[in-house]
Amino acid sequence: MEFSEIDVVAQREYRDGAGRTLTLTLGRPVPDSRPGNAWACPYAIQLGQEEPRVREIFGADALQALFLALRIVKVDLEVRDREHGPLTWGGEPGLWLDFP
């Protein structure tokens, strides 16, 4: 999936340790085009002016795809937090993506 194809449902901007903007974009889950009745929830992470990195997370239905995408996004951002200095949101450190 290309970034332009994402039907955006949520977006958040973080700052990394160098002051660059890291943009998280979460898309609406959509039925997967391949056989199997799975759903895909796209998300993208863009650091500064780099090309957005788009991923799709799959689930048995739209809710599961969305839930799994949120969990994977958190892990992805935690890695970037360690690699690029602490990420902040609204001037506060942390990802602010806590859920059970």
Side-chain angles (χ1 to χ4, degrees):
M1 175 176 282
E2 297 293 325
F3 183 76
S4 62
E5 297 176 279
I6 296 177
D7 182 7
V8 177
V9 295
Q11 217 168 27
R12 178 177 284 179
E13 288 187 352
Y14 293 95
R15 297 277 181 207
D16 72 2
R20 296 175 296 185
T21 300
L22 184 144
T23 304
L24 165 65
T25 302
L26 186 66
R28 180 180 60 84
V30 295
D32 186 20
S33 59
R34 295 171 286 201
N37 298 323
W39 283 71
C41 184
Y43 76 93
I45 294 178
Q46 181 177 14
L47 181 60
Q49 297 302 313
E50 295 177 7
E51 196 67 26
R53 193 190 70 170
V54 178
R55 299 283 184 263
E56 292 177 287
I57 305 302
F58 297 90
D61 59 16
L63 184 61
Q64 185 182 43
L66 177 62
F67 181 76
L68 292 174
L70 286 169
R71 294 183 69 85
I72 295 295
V73 161
K74 184 176 180 193
V75 172
D76 198 343
L77 290 174
E78 287 171 342
V79 169
R80 288 173 177 271
D81 185 67
R82 287 190 296 272
E83 290 176 351
H84 298 286
L87 295 176
T88 61
W89 178 57
E92 298 292 324
L95 303 176
W96 300 91
L97 290 174
D98 295 322
F99 22 70

